[in-house]
Amino acid sequence: SAVISQKPSRDICQRGTSLTIQCQVDSQVTMMFWYRQQPGQSLTLIATANQGSEATYESGFVIDKFPISRPNLTFSTLTVSNMSPEDSSIYLCSVLRGDEQYFGPGTRLTVT
Amino acid sequence: LAKTTQPISMDSYEGQEVNITCSHNNIATNDYITWYQQFPSQGPRFIIQGYKTKVTNEVASLFIPADRKSSTLSLPRVSLSDTAVYYCLVGDIGYNFNKFYFGSGTKLNVKP
């Protein structure tokens, strides 16, 4: 299994500001993923972050809005920039280990 | 990418067996079928994974017919704590693993 922690667990932010979410894994992994889950909805993949390369963004998500860092094999950050109320969601990081994908507990973001 | 279709919701009673079926008509030869469980305010948790026929572990069974265009997650003797959203995903978990996309999921409500 994989132990994944995220910081912060939740935050309330003002419109126009930015928030950086941290994801820490208990051991080295190659592939990390960032998802968004809006209230009552399924998970939507934002981007794939592999160490040593630029993140790959899904359709509808851009680097200027969601910059991602992947400085090493156990850590990644996702920044939600210039926030609006529509960005209120749970943001989850995920890693692939073996045949299984493991998820962090999520960061609940509320934008006012 | 194979798209999955699941019932939006299901109701059951404690002690019953629950079967949740997922359709994936466009599944590719190298795709595996994976099921996840998600409780409120938590990240998804891996339940079971299979390629064909039947797979069983300590929590569930997965039935996959020969054409692999559908799969059925079977939860024996559910309890109230099995109330959650269940997601079916298909994707190549091997060398060509890229990413997983989540469908709408099935919200299972177990009643006393």
Side-chain angles (χ1 to χ4, degrees):
Chain A
S1 64
V3 177
I4 304 171
S5 61
Q6 290 185 229
K7 289 182 181 179
S9 58
R10 59 178 62 221
D11 207 342
I12 300 173
C13 301
Q14 291 191 342
R15 182 195 302 258
T17 63
S18 297
L19 176 71
T20 295
I21 302 168
Q22 300 179 6
C23 177
Q24 180 75 51
V25 189
D26 64 339
S27 60
Q28 295 182 346
V29 291
T30 301
M31 303 186 78
M32 294 182 75
F33 309 89
W34 286 97
Y35 287 83
R36 180 174 75 182
Q37 187 170 30
Q38 296 179 306
Q41 302 296 313
S42 181
L43 286 79
T44 301
L45 182 63
I46 298 172
T48 303
N50 293 335
Q51 197 270 336
S53 62
E54 295 290 322
T56 303
Y57 290 82
E58 296 297 309
S59 176
F61 298 95
V62 295
I63 187 172
D64 290 345
K65 175 68 175 178
F66 298 99
I68 290 170
S69 77
R70 183 78 200 274
N72 57 53
L73 291 173
T74 63
F75 188 78
S76 178
T77 67
L78 169 76
T79 299
V80 186
S81 304
N82 187 26
M83 288 183 284
S84 66
E86 291 72 33
D87 294 320
S88 296
S89 278
I90 298 173
Y91 292 85
L92 301 102
C93 71
S94 171
V95 303
L96 182 68
R97 177 168 294 162
D99 297 339
E100 295 185 26
Q101 194 170 358
Y102 297 90
F103 288 82
T107 296
R108 183 180 294 272
L109 170 62
T110 301
V111 183
T112 60
Chain B
L1 291 164
K3 180 180 177 181
T4 59
T5 303
Q6 304 173 233
I8 297 297
S9 65
M10 293 181 68
D11 289 333
S12 181
Y13 290 92
E14 282 192 291
Q16 288 186 332
E17 178 185 76
V18 171
N19 296 309
I20 305 174
T21 298
C22 178
S23 297
H24 27 81
N25 291 318
N26 297 322
I27 189 169
T29 301
N30 294 330
D31 285 346
Y32 278 69
I33 301 155
T34 309
W35 285 80
Y36 285 84
Q37 176 191 56
Q38 186 179 28
F39 297 113
S41 301
Q42 295 186 24
R45 183 176 71 100
F46 174 93
I47 301 175
I48 197 166
Q49 183 179 79
Y51 183 80
K52 61 180 179 180
T53 63
K54 177 183 175 182
V55 179
T56 297
N57 61 21
E58 62 277 8
V59 298
S61 294
L62 178 60
F63 298 92
I64 306 169
D67 66 5
R68 303 199 328 120
K69 293 183 182 299
S70 66
S71 59
T72 299
L73 174 72
S74 181
L75 304 172
R77 298 180 298 281
V78 296
S79 64
L80 294 176
S81 62
D82 292 316
T83 293
V85 179
Y86 292 83
Y87 294 98
C88 161
L89 287 78
V90 295
D92 187 343
I93 63 169
Y95 180 78
N96 293 317
F97 179 88
N98 192 0
K99 47 207 161 187
F100 276 148
Y101 295 95
F102 280 75
S104 59
T106 297
K107 185 178 173 73
L108 174 64
N109 183 30
V110 180
K111 304 175 183 178

